[in-house]
Amino acid sequence: MATIRALVLSGGGGRGAFHAGVYRYLMQAQKPGVDAQHQQPWTPDIVVGTSIGAVNGAAIVQGISADELQEFWVQVRERDIEGLPPGMSWLSRRLINRVMKKMIGASLGQVSAQEATSYIPDWWQEALPGLGKLGDWALGRWCSLLDTGPLRRTLEQRLKIDPGKIEHSQQTLLINATRVATGERVIFSNRTIRSRSTGKPRRDVVQGINVQRILASCSIPMVYPWTHDEETKSLYWDGAVVSNTPLGAALDAAADRPPDDEMEVVVVLMTPWTSGEDEDASPPLPRDFSQAVTYALDWMLLASFRERLALIESFNRLAQLGREKGDELLSRYRFVHVHVVAPNRFYDAARIIDYDERNKSLIADGYRATEQVFRQAYPAAEAVGAD
């Protein structure tokens, strides 16, 4: 019997530095206070990423080391991820940068037309009836608040994303996007994924991962432009729109493994996690409008995960019952142990587009949170004896 390991990286933009701290702990060769089985690097067999999780997940599957991922996040800044669309007028840029200065403490430059991922919309005249050239002069023409041209450059030049390396990796990579026209979740993968129940390839999985598809997973509606995928002839938004932590896909990625192989899943969230049973562990209520927006966004992103987690717990009970009674049908369910790694405080919603020196504190948060989870889930023998 072997153990299958899956790492699920949720979306969260600039909060993605938290992932780097998690990965640093997972890949650590010695983990004080943890049992012998989990002392060595916890290398995932399956990596699932949404939005910035797709960026970090692709880098991990391609072979980036924990130190290199951490160094990337220490150095990355807003100019490496986003800028103002080329169609914005001087007035629009000035007004938006005043807002940006208050939100993220930085002004953003304008992305060149050659590098831009956004487009100048044909419908702009209809959006500003009667203004004509005056509207073009005053506001310009643009379809999203920010442009992800710099992110494409960062993926290609700094992270050196190579579709060939991802395709031939021993690790399975799944990245999550939302089809704009239908609201359906689409998962891009570096290999065929079969349904556990039917054994047939999943219809929502498209094989092949490249820079364009990683951008698709990161395309936050209205903040960033949607992304066109040539092969599927579709436009995509951020995967978090419909599913920020697609656990089911991770389970299906292990469908070809024997059911006696148990599965360890580390799910990395970007918001405090509580099961709801311990009210004392719950965060304080929001005190102002900004905090209310943060809470509402984060709870919305967690909704589907809570439901999936409850379903996994039900399947675990079936697996236990099948083994106790020797029921062949129920014994086909594998045990899945889900460990949630999450910060102990809220990160303001503005951090989604904020990349600065505070990334260091998020890396440290991720490391500490993972260490705490592993010490609780897999305590060293002496720690168990002390209890």
Side-chain angles (χ1 to χ4, degrees), residues 2-6 22-45 262-266 337-339 367 370-371 373-381:
T3 300
I4 308 163
R5 291 172 170 173
V22 172
Y23 194 57
R24 178 183 159 209
Y25 178 82
L26 292 178
M27 298 307 291
Q28 193 168 288
Q30 293 295 321
K31 301 180 177 69
V34 176
D35 67 23
Q37 185 179 352
H38 294 84
Q39 278 288 328
Q40 296 301 310
W42 191 95
T43 304
D45 303 295
E262 297 189 2
M263 195 169 190
E264 294 176 2
V265 184
V266 173
H337 309 285
V338 179
H339 306 298
Y367 182 93
T370 316
E371 180 180 41
V373 167
F374 266 59
R375 286 190 173 194
Q376 290 177 349
Y378 306 110

mmCIF file of all heavy atoms in Angstrom, residues 2-6 22-45 262-266 337-339 367 370-371 373-381:
data_model
loop_
_atom_site.group_PDB
_atom_site.id
_atom_site.type_symbol
_atom_site.label_atom_id
_atom_site.label_comp_id
_atom_site.label_asym_id
_atom_site.label_seq_id
_atom_site.Cartn_x
_atom_site.Cartn_y
_atom_site.Cartn_z
ATOM 1 N N ALA A 2 0.588 2.172 -0.900
ATOM 2 C CA ALA A 2 1.345 3.418 -1.006
ATOM 3 C C ALA A 2 0.437 4.592 -0.654
ATOM 4 O O ALA A 2 -0.777 4.447 -0.538
ATOM 5 C CB ALA A 2 1.898 3.577 -2.412
ATOM 6 N N THR A 3 1.044 5.738 -0.494
ATOM 7 C CA THR A 3 0.297 6.956 -0.190
ATOM 8 C C THR A 3 0.341 7.884 -1.390
ATOM 9 O O THR A 3 1.400 8.128 -1.967
ATOM 10 C CB THR A 3 0.881 7.681 1.038
ATOM 11 O OG1 THR A 3 0.821 6.811 2.167
ATOM 12 C CG2 THR A 3 0.088 8.943 1.341
ATOM 13 N N ILE A 4 -0.820 8.382 -1.784
ATOM 14 C CA ILE A 4 -0.922 9.356 -2.872
ATOM 15 C C ILE A 4 -0.990 10.743 -2.238
ATOM 16 O O ILE A 4 -1.786 10.968 -1.319
ATOM 17 C CB ILE A 4 -2.195 9.113 -3.708
ATOM 18 C CG1 ILE A 4 -2.279 7.657 -4.157
ATOM 19 C CG2 ILE A 4 -2.240 10.063 -4.903
ATOM 20 C CD1 ILE A 4 -3.668 7.243 -4.614
ATOM 21 N N ARG A 5 -0.203 11.659 -2.731
ATOM 22 C CA ARG A 5 -0.161 12.996 -2.145
ATOM 23 C C ARG A 5 -0.631 14.033 -3.165
ATOM 24 O O ARG A 5 -0.179 14.039 -4.313
ATOM 25 C CB ARG A 5 1.244 13.330 -1.664
ATOM 26 C CG ARG A 5 1.669 12.492 -0.459
ATOM 27 C CD ARG A 5 3.114 12.680 -0.096
ATOM 28 N NE ARG A 5 3.424 12.057 1.200
ATOM 29 C CZ ARG A 5 4.635 11.949 1.721
ATOM 30 N NH1 ARG A 5 5.686 12.419 1.033
ATOM 31 N NH2 ARG A 5 4.829 11.383 2.893
ATOM 32 N N ALA A 6 -1.540 14.881 -2.734
ATOM 33 C CA ALA A 6 -2.069 15.938 -3.606
ATOM 34 C C ALA A 6 -1.980 17.282 -2.904
ATOM 35 O O ALA A 6 -2.275 17.395 -1.709
ATOM 36 C CB ALA A 6 -3.522 15.637 -3.987
ATOM 37 N N VAL A 22 4.178 27.560 2.408
ATOM 38 C CA VAL A 22 3.668 26.193 2.545
ATOM 39 C C VAL A 22 4.615 25.211 1.865
ATOM 40 O O VAL A 22 5.006 24.192 2.449
ATOM 41 C CB VAL A 22 2.248 26.079 1.934
ATOM 42 C CG1 VAL A 22 1.793 24.618 1.909
ATOM 43 C CG2 VAL A 22 1.250 26.945 2.691
ATOM 44 N N TYR A 23 4.994 25.526 0.648
ATOM 45 C CA TYR A 23 5.846 24.610 -0.121
ATOM 46 C C TYR A 23 7.228 24.480 0.518
ATOM 47 O O TYR A 23 7.824 23.412 0.519
ATOM 48 C CB TYR A 23 5.961 25.095 -1.558
ATOM 49 C CG TYR A 23 6.540 24.059 -2.498
ATOM 50 C CD1 TYR A 23 5.944 22.813 -2.638
ATOM 51 C CD2 TYR A 23 7.684 24.327 -3.252
ATOM 52 C CE1 TYR A 23 6.472 21.853 -3.493
ATOM 53 C CE2 TYR A 23 8.212 23.375 -4.114
ATOM 54 C CZ TYR A 23 7.599 22.142 -4.225
ATOM 55 O OH TYR A 23 8.123 21.187 -5.076
ATOM 56 N N ARG A 24 7.703 25.564 1.079
ATOM 57 C CA ARG A 24 9.006 25.514 1.753
ATOM 58 C C ARG A 24 8.970 24.509 2.908
ATOM 59 O O ARG A 24 9.895 23.710 3.081
ATOM 60 C CB ARG A 24 9.371 26.905 2.279
ATOM 61 C CG ARG A 24 10.688 26.948 3.039
ATOM 62 C CD ARG A 24 10.948 28.327 3.601
ATOM 63 N NE ARG A 24 11.890 28.288 4.706
ATOM 64 C CZ ARG A 24 11.903 29.152 5.715
ATOM 65 N NH1 ARG A 24 11.019 30.126 5.732
ATOM 66 N NH2 ARG A 24 12.773 29.064 6.675
ATOM 67 N N TYR A 25 7.882 24.524 3.681
ATOM 68 C CA TYR A 25 7.795 23.565 4.788
ATOM 69 C C TYR A 25 7.628 22.143 4.256
ATOM 70 O O TYR A 25 8.277 21.212 4.743
ATOM 71 C CB TYR A 25 6.631 23.904 5.721
ATOM 72 C CG TYR A 25 6.502 22.895 6.845
ATOM 73 C CD1 TYR A 25 7.295 23.000 7.983
ATOM 74 C CD2 TYR A 25 5.632 21.811 6.747
ATOM 75 C CE1 TYR A 25 7.221 22.057 8.994
ATOM 76 C CE2 TYR A 25 5.557 20.853 7.747
ATOM 77 C CZ TYR A 25 6.348 20.988 8.876
ATOM 78 O OH TYR A 25 6.285 20.044 9.872
ATOM 79 N N LEU A 26 6.754 21.958 3.276
ATOM 80 C CA LEU A 26 6.503 20.620 2.749
ATOM 81 C C LEU A 26 7.780 19.957 2.244
ATOM 82 O O LEU A 26 7.985 18.754 2.418
ATOM 83 C CB LEU A 26 5.471 20.676 1.620
ATOM 84 C CG LEU A 26 4.040 21.052 2.001
ATOM 85 C CD1 LEU A 26 3.165 21.116 0.752
ATOM 86 C CD2 LEU A 26 3.457 20.068 3.010
ATOM 87 N N MET A 27 8.652 20.732 1.616
ATOM 88 C CA MET A 27 9.854 20.170 1.005
ATOM 89 C C MET A 27 11.038 20.124 1.965
ATOM 90 O O MET A 27 12.137 19.699 1.578
ATOM 91 C CB MET A 27 10.224 20.974 -0.245
ATOM 92 C CG MET A 27 9.156 20.938 -1.333
ATOM 93 S SD MET A 27 8.664 19.248 -1.791
ATOM 94 C CE MET A 27 10.164 18.692 -2.603
ATOM 95 N N GLN A 28 10.835 20.524 3.202
ATOM 96 C CA GLN A 28 11.901 20.511 4.197
ATOM 97 C C GLN A 28 12.279 19.071 4.520
ATOM 98 O O GLN A 28 11.412 18.209 4.714
ATOM 99 C CB GLN A 28 11.401 21.234 5.461
ATOM 100 C CG GLN A 28 12.472 21.580 6.468
ATOM 101 C CD GLN A 28 11.925 22.543 7.508
ATOM 102 O OE1 GLN A 28 11.689 23.713 7.216
ATOM 103 N NE2 GLN A 28 11.693 22.045 8.706
ATOM 104 N N ALA A 29 13.568 18.795 4.618
ATOM 105 C CA ALA A 29 14.045 17.428 4.827
ATOM 106 C C ALA A 29 13.880 16.963 6.264
ATOM 107 O O ALA A 29 13.738 15.767 6.518
ATOM 108 C CB ALA A 29 15.507 17.308 4.408
ATOM 109 N N GLN A 30 13.898 17.878 7.204
ATOM 110 C CA GLN A 30 13.710 17.542 8.609
ATOM 111 C C GLN A 30 12.590 18.419 9.168
ATOM 112 O O GLN A 30 12.638 19.638 9.048
ATOM 113 C CB GLN A 30 15.001 17.750 9.398
ATOM 114 C CG GLN A 30 16.116 16.789 9.019
ATOM 115 C CD GLN A 30 15.768 15.337 9.366
ATOM 116 O OE1 GLN A 30 15.172 15.059 10.399
ATOM 117 N NE2 GLN A 30 16.140 14.412 8.475
ATOM 118 N N LYS A 31 11.605 17.768 9.806
ATOM 119 C CA LYS A 31 10.459 18.492 10.348
ATOM 120 C C LYS A 31 10.317 18.152 11.824
ATOM 121 O O LYS A 31 9.714 17.129 12.180
ATOM 122 C CB LYS A 31 9.181 18.129 9.587
ATOM 123 C CG LYS A 31 9.230 18.417 8.081
ATOM 124 C CD LYS A 31 7.918 18.012 7.428
ATOM 125 C CE LYS A 31 7.897 18.347 5.947
ATOM 126 N NZ LYS A 31 8.825 17.499 5.161
ATOM 127 N N PRO A 32 10.883 18.948 12.719
ATOM 128 C CA PRO A 32 10.797 18.671 14.155
ATOM 129 C C PRO A 32 9.349 18.504 14.607
ATOM 130 O O PRO A 32 8.457 19.231 14.178
ATOM 131 C CB PRO A 32 11.426 19.923 14.788
ATOM 132 C CG PRO A 32 12.332 20.474 13.735
ATOM 133 C CD PRO A 32 11.637 20.183 12.436
ATOM 134 N N GLY A 33 9.117 17.514 15.476
ATOM 135 C CA GLY A 33 7.796 17.291 16.026
ATOM 136 C C GLY A 33 6.861 16.508 15.144
ATOM 137 O O GLY A 33 5.678 16.359 15.467
ATOM 138 N N VAL A 34 7.380 15.974 14.025
ATOM 139 C CA VAL A 34 6.564 15.240 13.061
ATOM 140 C C VAL A 34 7.058 13.796 12.983
ATOM 141 O O VAL A 34 8.252 13.529 13.144
ATOM 142 C CB VAL A 34 6.624 15.910 11.668
ATOM 143 C CG1 VAL A 34 5.866 15.106 10.632
ATOM 144 C CG2 VAL A 34 6.074 17.325 11.750
ATOM 145 N N ASP A 35 6.137 12.835 12.742
ATOM 146 C CA ASP A 35 6.528 11.423 12.721
ATOM 147 C C ASP A 35 7.518 11.128 11.597
ATOM 148 O O ASP A 35 7.687 11.910 10.655
ATOM 149 C CB ASP A 35 5.301 10.509 12.646
ATOM 150 C CG ASP A 35 4.544 10.624 11.320
ATOM 151 O OD1 ASP A 35 5.139 11.032 10.306
ATOM 152 O OD2 ASP A 35 3.343 10.293 11.291
ATOM 153 N N ALA A 36 8.155 9.955 11.698
ATOM 154 C CA ALA A 36 9.225 9.589 10.767
ATOM 155 C C ALA A 36 8.741 9.521 9.325
ATOM 156 O O ALA A 36 9.476 9.868 8.392
ATOM 157 C CB ALA A 36 9.818 8.241 11.185
ATOM 158 N N GLN A 37 7.507 9.090 9.103
ATOM 159 C CA GLN A 37 6.979 8.940 7.749
ATOM 160 C C GLN A 37 6.873 10.270 7.022
ATOM 161 O O GLN A 37 6.917 10.318 5.786
ATOM 162 C CB GLN A 37 5.609 8.267 7.803
ATOM 163 C CG GLN A 37 5.019 7.957 6.433
ATOM 164 C CD GLN A 37 3.672 7.261 6.534
ATOM 165 O OE1 GLN A 37 3.242 6.877 7.616
ATOM 166 N NE2 GLN A 37 3.003 7.121 5.399
ATOM 167 N N HIS A 38 6.733 11.370 7.779
ATOM 168 C CA HIS A 38 6.539 12.687 7.159
ATOM 169 C C HIS A 38 7.724 13.627 7.377
ATOM 170 O O HIS A 38 7.622 14.822 7.129
ATOM 171 C CB HIS A 38 5.257 13.329 7.691
ATOM 172 C CG HIS A 38 4.013 12.597 7.274
ATOM 173 N ND1 HIS A 38 3.535 11.515 7.954
ATOM 174 C CD2 HIS A 38 3.185 12.774 6.205
ATOM 175 C CE1 HIS A 38 2.448 11.057 7.355
ATOM 176 N NE2 HIS A 38 2.221 11.789 6.287
ATOM 177 N N GLN A 39 8.845 13.075 7.843
ATOM 178 C CA GLN A 39 10.033 13.889 8.047
ATOM 179 C C GLN A 39 10.626 14.369 6.725
ATOM 180 O O GLN A 39 11.030 15.514 6.588
ATOM 181 C CB GLN A 39 11.089 13.090 8.814
ATOM 182 C CG GLN A 39 10.899 13.056 10.308
ATOM 183 C CD GLN A 39 11.208 14.387 10.955
ATOM 184 O OE1 GLN A 39 12.053 15.134 10.489
ATOM 185 N NE2 GLN A 39 10.492 14.699 12.018
ATOM 186 N N GLN A 40 10.669 13.465 5.764
ATOM 187 C CA GLN A 40 11.309 13.786 4.488
ATOM 188 C C GLN A 40 10.424 14.718 3.650
ATOM 189 O O GLN A 40 9.267 14.952 3.986
ATOM 190 C CB GLN A 40 11.597 12.494 3.724
ATOM 191 C CG GLN A 40 12.587 11.583 4.425
ATOM 192 C CD GLN A 40 13.921 12.260 4.666
ATOM 193 O OE1 GLN A 40 14.508 12.840 3.755
ATOM 194 N NE2 GLN A 40 14.397 12.214 5.906
ATOM 195 N N PRO A 41 10.965 15.266 2.565
ATOM 196 C CA PRO A 41 10.153 16.159 1.723
ATOM 197 C C PRO A 41 8.828 15.519 1.324
ATOM 198 O O PRO A 41 8.781 14.364 0.895
ATOM 199 C CB PRO A 41 11.055 16.393 0.500
ATOM 200 C CG PRO A 41 12.443 16.283 1.050
ATOM 201 C CD PRO A 41 12.378 15.206 2.090
ATOM 202 N N TRP A 42 7.765 16.289 1.495
ATOM 203 C CA TRP A 42 6.408 15.843 1.140
ATOM 204 C C TRP A 42 6.189 16.291 -0.307
ATOM 205 O O TRP A 42 5.703 17.377 -0.565
ATOM 206 C CB TRP A 42 5.402 16.472 2.100
ATOM 207 C CG TRP A 42 4.010 15.921 2.043
ATOM 208 C CD1 TRP A 42 3.484 14.941 2.828
ATOM 209 C CD2 TRP A 42 2.935 16.349 1.182
ATOM 210 N NE1 TRP A 42 2.156 14.716 2.509
ATOM 211 C CE2 TRP A 42 1.796 15.567 1.502
ATOM 212 C CE3 TRP A 42 2.828 17.306 0.175
ATOM 213 C CZ2 TRP A 42 0.572 15.721 0.854
ATOM 214 C CZ3 TRP A 42 1.612 17.452 -0.476
ATOM 215 C CH2 TRP A 42 0.500 16.667 -0.140
ATOM 216 N N THR A 43 6.555 15.417 -1.245
ATOM 217 C CA THR A 43 6.480 15.756 -2.664
ATOM 218 C C THR A 43 5.115 15.363 -3.218
ATOM 219 O O THR A 43 4.749 14.187 -3.164
ATOM 220 C CB THR A 43 7.580 15.035 -3.457
ATOM 221 O OG1 THR A 43 8.856 15.362 -2.894
ATOM 222 C CG2 THR A 43 7.550 15.452 -4.915
ATOM 223 N N PRO A 44 4.348 16.302 -3.761
ATOM 224 C CA PRO A 44 3.016 15.956 -4.259
ATOM 225 C C PRO A 44 3.067 15.162 -5.560
ATOM 226 O O PRO A 44 3.877 15.444 -6.441
ATOM 227 C CB PRO A 44 2.348 17.317 -4.464
ATOM 228 C CG PRO A 44 3.484 18.261 -4.708
ATOM 229 C CD PRO A 44 4.618 17.744 -3.874
ATOM 230 N N ASP A 45 2.197 14.160 -5.664
ATOM 231 C CA ASP A 45 2.019 13.435 -6.918
ATOM 232 C C ASP A 45 1.083 14.206 -7.847
ATOM 233 O O ASP A 45 1.184 14.102 -9.068
ATOM 234 C CB ASP A 45 1.413 12.054 -6.651
ATOM 235 C CG ASP A 45 2.243 11.230 -5.696
ATOM 236 O OD1 ASP A 45 3.376 10.893 -6.068
ATOM 237 O OD2 ASP A 45 1.773 10.955 -4.572
ATOM 238 N N GLU A 262 -4.029 4.981 0.232
ATOM 239 C CA GLU A 262 -4.692 6.113 0.863
ATOM 240 C C GLU A 262 -4.152 7.418 0.283
ATOM 241 O O GLU A 262 -3.076 7.453 -0.317
ATOM 242 C CB GLU A 262 -4.510 6.069 2.379
ATOM 243 C CG GLU A 262 -5.154 4.844 2.998
ATOM 244 C CD GLU A 262 -5.174 4.886 4.520
ATOM 245 O OE1 GLU A 262 -4.714 5.893 5.106
ATOM 246 O OE2 GLU A 262 -5.664 3.903 5.120
ATOM 247 N N MET A 263 -4.921 8.469 0.466
ATOM 248 C CA MET A 263 -4.575 9.758 -0.146
ATOM 249 C C MET A 263 -4.456 10.835 0.913
ATOM 250 O O MET A 263 -5.320 10.968 1.790
ATOM 251 C CB MET A 263 -5.647 10.142 -1.168
ATOM 252 C CG MET A 263 -5.265 11.249 -2.113
ATOM 253 S SD MET A 263 -6.499 11.372 -3.460
ATOM 254 C CE MET A 263 -5.667 12.508 -4.573
ATOM 255 N N GLU A 264 -3.363 11.581 0.859
ATOM 256 C CA GLU A 264 -3.181 12.763 1.710
ATOM 257 C C GLU A 264 -3.319 13.994 0.828
ATOM 258 O O GLU A 264 -2.612 14.122 -0.176
ATOM 259 C CB GLU A 264 -1.798 12.758 2.364
ATOM 260 C CG GLU A 264 -1.591 11.633 3.369
ATOM 261 C CD GLU A 264 -0.186 11.602 3.926
ATOM 262 O OE1 GLU A 264 0.636 12.483 3.557
ATOM 263 O OE2 GLU A 264 0.098 10.692 4.728
ATOM 264 N N VAL A 265 -4.232 14.880 1.195
ATOM 265 C CA VAL A 265 -4.469 16.087 0.413
ATOM 266 C C VAL A 265 -4.219 17.302 1.294
ATOM 267 O O VAL A 265 -4.842 17.449 2.354
ATOM 268 C CB VAL A 265 -5.920 16.141 -0.122
ATOM 269 C CG1 VAL A 265 -6.109 17.358 -1.019
ATOM 270 C CG2 VAL A 265 -6.264 14.857 -0.869
ATOM 271 N N VAL A 266 -3.294 18.137 0.877
ATOM 272 C CA VAL A 266 -3.067 19.413 1.562
ATOM 273 C C VAL A 266 -3.754 20.497 0.745
ATOM 274 O O VAL A 266 -3.385 20.754 -0.407
ATOM 275 C CB VAL A 266 -1.558 19.715 1.704
ATOM 276 C CG1 VAL A 266 -1.347 21.120 2.266
ATOM 277 C CG2 VAL A 266 -0.896 18.678 2.605
ATOM 278 N N HIS A 337 -7.472 11.750 3.315
ATOM 279 C CA HIS A 337 -7.221 12.568 4.495
ATOM 280 C C HIS A 337 -6.920 13.995 4.043
ATOM 281 O O HIS A 337 -5.876 14.251 3.432
ATOM 282 C CB HIS A 337 -6.051 12.002 5.294
ATOM 283 C CG HIS A 337 -6.185 10.529 5.599
ATOM 284 N ND1 HIS A 337 -7.043 10.048 6.563
ATOM 285 C CD2 HIS A 337 -5.598 9.436 5.028
ATOM 286 C CE1 HIS A 337 -6.977 8.731 6.600
ATOM 287 N NE2 HIS A 337 -6.108 8.331 5.672
ATOM 288 N N VAL A 338 -7.829 14.905 4.314
ATOM 289 C CA VAL A 338 -7.691 16.295 3.864
ATOM 290 C C VAL A 338 -7.166 17.148 5.013
ATOM 291 O O VAL A 338 -7.733 17.149 6.110
ATOM 292 C CB VAL A 338 -9.042 16.851 3.368
ATOM 293 C CG1 VAL A 338 -8.872 18.316 2.937
ATOM 294 C CG2 VAL A 338 -9.579 16.011 2.215
ATOM 295 N N HIS A 339 -6.084 17.851 4.753
ATOM 296 C CA HIS A 339 -5.495 18.759 5.740
ATOM 297 C C HIS A 339 -5.586 20.184 5.198
ATOM 298 O O HIS A 339 -5.056 20.472 4.117
ATOM 299 C CB HIS A 339 -4.040 18.393 6.018
ATOM 300 C CG HIS A 339 -3.863 16.953 6.424
ATOM 301 N ND1 HIS A 339 -4.434 16.426 7.556
ATOM 302 C CD2 HIS A 339 -3.203 15.928 5.819
ATOM 303 C CE1 HIS A 339 -4.128 15.141 7.654
ATOM 304 N NE2 HIS A 339 -3.377 14.822 6.607
ATOM 305 N N TYR A 367 4.456 29.091 6.082
ATOM 306 C CA TYR A 367 5.342 28.097 6.695
ATOM 307 C C TYR A 367 4.818 27.688 8.072
ATOM 308 O O TYR A 367 4.702 26.491 8.378
ATOM 309 C CB TYR A 367 6.759 28.684 6.830
ATOM 310 C CG TYR A 367 7.767 27.727 7.413
ATOM 311 C CD1 TYR A 367 8.554 26.933 6.591
ATOM 312 C CD2 TYR A 367 7.931 27.613 8.792
ATOM 313 C CE1 TYR A 367 9.484 26.046 7.119
ATOM 314 C CE2 TYR A 367 8.848 26.721 9.334
ATOM 315 C CZ TYR A 367 9.616 25.947 8.494
ATOM 316 O OH TYR A 367 10.530 25.058 9.027
ATOM 317 N N THR A 370 1.539 25.570 7.975
ATOM 318 C CA THR A 370 1.751 24.188 7.545
ATOM 319 C C THR A 370 2.420 23.378 8.643
ATOM 320 O O THR A 370 2.055 22.216 8.890
ATOM 321 C CB THR A 370 2.610 24.144 6.267
ATOM 322 O OG1 THR A 370 2.153 25.136 5.350
ATOM 323 C CG2 THR A 370 2.525 22.783 5.597
ATOM 324 N N GLU A 371 3.384 23.979 9.303
ATOM 325 C CA GLU A 371 4.058 23.302 10.411
ATOM 326 C C GLU A 371 3.054 22.921 11.499
ATOM 327 O O GLU A 371 3.075 21.792 12.021
ATOM 328 C CB GLU A 371 5.144 24.209 10.991
ATOM 329 C CG GLU A 371 5.911 23.592 12.148
ATOM 330 C CD GLU A 371 6.975 24.529 12.681
ATOM 331 O OE1 GLU A 371 6.699 25.744 12.799
ATOM 332 O OE2 GLU A 371 8.082 24.050 12.987
ATOM 333 N N VAL A 373 -0.199 22.400 11.174
ATOM 334 C CA VAL A 373 -1.082 21.338 10.684
ATOM 335 C C VAL A 373 -0.384 19.985 10.721
ATOM 336 O O VAL A 373 -0.963 18.977 11.172
ATOM 337 C CB VAL A 373 -1.565 21.659 9.252
ATOM 338 C CG1 VAL A 373 -2.208 20.433 8.605
ATOM 339 C CG2 VAL A 373 -2.551 22.817 9.277
ATOM 340 N N PHE A 374 0.872 19.902 10.282
ATOM 341 C CA PHE A 374 1.583 18.630 10.244
ATOM 342 C C PHE A 374 1.887 18.120 11.650
ATOM 343 O O PHE A 374 1.823 16.903 11.903
ATOM 344 C CB PHE A 374 2.870 18.766 9.422
ATOM 345 C CG PHE A 374 2.689 18.363 7.982
ATOM 346 C CD1 PHE A 374 1.767 19.010 7.181
ATOM 347 C CD2 PHE A 374 3.420 17.326 7.440
ATOM 348 C CE1 PHE A 374 1.580 18.640 5.862
ATOM 349 C CE2 PHE A 374 3.251 16.939 6.113
ATOM 350 C CZ PHE A 374 2.317 17.603 5.325
ATOM 351 N N ARG A 375 2.196 19.012 12.562
ATOM 352 C CA ARG A 375 2.463 18.568 13.935
ATOM 353 C C ARG A 375 1.204 18.005 14.586
ATOM 354 O O ARG A 375 1.280 17.092 15.403
ATOM 355 C CB ARG A 375 3.021 19.722 14.762
ATOM 356 C CG ARG A 375 4.466 20.068 14.419
ATOM 357 C CD ARG A 375 5.057 21.031 15.410
ATOM 358 N NE ARG A 375 6.479 21.237 15.198
ATOM 359 C CZ ARG A 375 7.288 21.823 16.071
ATOM 360 N NH1 ARG A 375 6.806 22.277 17.221
ATOM 361 N NH2 ARG A 375 8.562 21.972 15.805
ATOM 362 N N GLN A 376 0.064 18.553 14.230
ATOM 363 C CA GLN A 376 -1.186 18.053 14.782
ATOM 364 C C GLN A 376 -1.621 16.760 14.097
ATOM 365 O O GLN A 376 -2.113 15.835 14.746
ATOM 366 C CB GLN A 376 -2.282 19.115 14.636
ATOM 367 C CG GLN A 376 -2.101 20.318 15.537
ATOM 368 C CD GLN A 376 -3.171 21.378 15.319
ATOM 369 O OE1 GLN A 376 -3.944 21.327 14.368
ATOM 370 N NE2 GLN A 376 -3.210 22.366 16.209
ATOM 371 N N ALA A 377 -1.433 16.686 12.777
ATOM 372 C CA ALA A 377 -1.899 15.518 12.024
ATOM 373 C C ALA A 377 -0.951 14.329 12.135
ATOM 374 O O ALA A 377 -1.399 13.171 12.174
ATOM 375 C CB ALA A 377 -2.076 15.892 10.558
ATOM 376 N N TYR A 378 0.365 14.620 12.195
ATOM 377 C CA TYR A 378 1.366 13.551 12.195
ATOM 378 C C TYR A 378 2.402 13.789 13.298
ATOM 379 O O TYR A 378 3.584 14.016 13.033
ATOM 380 C CB TYR A 378 2.059 13.478 10.833
ATOM 381 C CG TYR A 378 1.095 13.348 9.679
ATOM 382 C CD1 TYR A 378 0.901 14.400 8.776
ATOM 383 C CD2 TYR A 378 0.366 12.185 9.488
ATOM 384 C CE1 TYR A 378 0.008 14.281 7.720
ATOM 385 C CE2 TYR A 378 -0.528 12.059 8.433
ATOM 386 C CZ TYR A 378 -0.703 13.109 7.553
ATOM 387 O OH TYR A 378 -1.591 12.992 6.509
ATOM 388 N N PRO A 379 1.979 13.745 14.554
ATOM 389 C CA PRO A 379 2.922 14.051 15.653
ATOM 390 C C PRO A 379 3.992 12.988 15.793
ATOM 391 O O PRO A 379 3.771 11.799 15.523
ATOM 392 C CB PRO A 379 2.010 14.092 16.879
ATOM 393 C CG PRO A 379 0.850 13.202 16.532
ATOM 394 C CD PRO A 379 0.647 13.411 15.058
ATOM 395 N N ALA A 380 5.171 13.424 16.220
ATOM 396 C CA ALA A 380 6.265 12.500 16.492
ATOM 397 C C ALA A 380 5.871 11.575 17.639
ATOM 398 O O ALA A 380 5.045 11.919 18.491
ATOM 399 C CB ALA A 380 7.539 13.266 16.838
ATOM 400 N N ALA A 381 6.498 10.377 17.671
ATOM 401 C CA ALA A 381 6.137 9.385 18.681
ATOM 402 C C ALA A 381 6.299 9.923 20.082
ATOM 403 O O ALA A 381 5.459 9.691 20.959
ATOM 404 C CB ALA A 381 6.987 8.133 18.476
#
